[in-house]
Amino acid sequence: MIRVRVPATSANIGPGFDAFGMAFELYNIFSFEERDTGKLTIRGVAKKYQGKSNLVYKAMLKVFNKVGYKPKGLYIYSDVNVPVSRGLGSSATCIVGGLVGANVLCGAPLTGQELFDLAVEMEGHPDNVAPAMFGGLVVSIGTREENFYIKKPVAPQFDFYAAIPDFTLPTIEARRAIPKKIYHKDAAFNVSRASMTYLALADGLPDILKESMKDKLHQPYRIPLIDHYDEVHSTAEGFGALGSCISGAGPTILIVCDKKNHRFEAEMSRWMAETLPQWQFLKLIPDNTGVCTDQHS
């Protein structure tokens, strides 16, 4: 049996639209086994995902087709811990898990870069699949020919929290809300703040995040889709958070704090329990490793 553990991710981190991503110690775990049954068996997910449309299986096929491998039969089990359609990279975990699992099953003929390229091809952009594969704080770009990434470990000065709503927000709906044209001044606003946010998170500069996590490219248009966003954001700031933003396409809200703020977690947890009891409030620890595999009999 091959086991593949893939971390949850948060893309954008405010101004880094479609470029930034960060991995966290919240995992989907996929188990794979080639069997002589000649059948595809998928368990751990709802019945409607137990067929050939399953995203993990579709990712595996990408590898099998590329290397010319034909498994006799497949058993796939998904231990799902990353909330689905909440902006925490659940689809990226399925893609990366399937690609890496299939590659190990074939004897690992593909390199990490080749698997990354396949992941970007499936996901359409690298902001979630890059940290899912490599861990840490990742900035990435993709072209039709090649994909690039730079990874840094997240500085230890920060604590991260996720306010996870009890409703979903489909990525297609969140993308539809963004205008096709933006002002030049808004693009310039984001370029400077994205650069500062990446460096502040990597180098441990908490005061910079108070200004740098602001965004004008996507959040102003997506926030109206997320009930209680402004309320959560302002309350977190009132308790001393450095900044908060939509996680990926949403609706989860990612909150960043200075680790020296020892009161934040208790105060915010209490407020969330009283005001939005149907939401989850989780502390997230950065994962600087990325996808991991092991094999056992």
Side-chain angles (χ1 to χ4, degrees), residues 139-158:
V139 60
S140 51
I141 56 175
T143 69
R144 290 184 179 180
E145 294 78 26
E146 202 168 358
N147 299 289
F148 305 92
Y149 71 93
I150 296 173
K151 168 190 169 180
K152 297 283 188 183
V154 182
Q157 283 88 343
F158 304 108

Side-chain angles (χ1 to χ4, degrees), residues 9 91-92 95-96 116 119-120 123 125-134:
T9 55
S91 64
I95 291 170
V96 171
F116 178 44
V120 175
E123 180 83 339
H125 39 84
D127 54 356
N128 272 315
V129 294
M133 290 200 74
F134 307 115

Side-chain angles (χ1 to χ4, degrees), residues 208-253:
I208 288 176
L209 289 181
K210 294 176 182 178
E211 174 60 34
S212 71
M213 283 182 65
K214 296 175 182 176
D215 163 81
K216 290 191 176 181
L217 294 189
H218 68 108
Q219 293 202 144
Y221 312 103
R222 288 173 164 175
I223 285 172
L225 303 176
I226 303 173
D227 290 341
H228 305 293
Y229 179 93
D230 289 331
E231 196 177 354
V232 173
H233 174 82
S234 61
T235 300
E237 281 197 341
F239 291 145
L242 299 171
S244 59
C245 60
I246 301 172
S247 179
T252 292
I253 302 167

Side-chain angles (χ1 to χ4, degrees), residues 1 38 82 94 127 156 165 174 177 180 198 257 281 288:
M1 185 80 74
V82 179
C94 294
D127 54 356
K180 290 182 168 52
Y198 187 83
C257 276
F281 184 67
N288 286 310

Side-chain angles (χ1 to χ4, degrees), residues 146-184:
E146 202 168 358
N147 299 289
F148 305 92
Y149 71 93
I150 296 173
K151 168 190 169 180
K152 297 283 188 183
V154 182
Q157 283 88 343
F158 304 108
D159 282 331
F160 299 87
Y161 301 90
I164 307 172
D166 61 336
F167 55 86
T168 63
L169 177 57
T171 300
I172 190 169
E173 184 179 341
R175 286 199 171 272
R176 195 182 294 129
I178 302 172
K180 290 182 168 52
K181 295 182 180 180
I182 59 166
Y183 289 109
H184 187 278

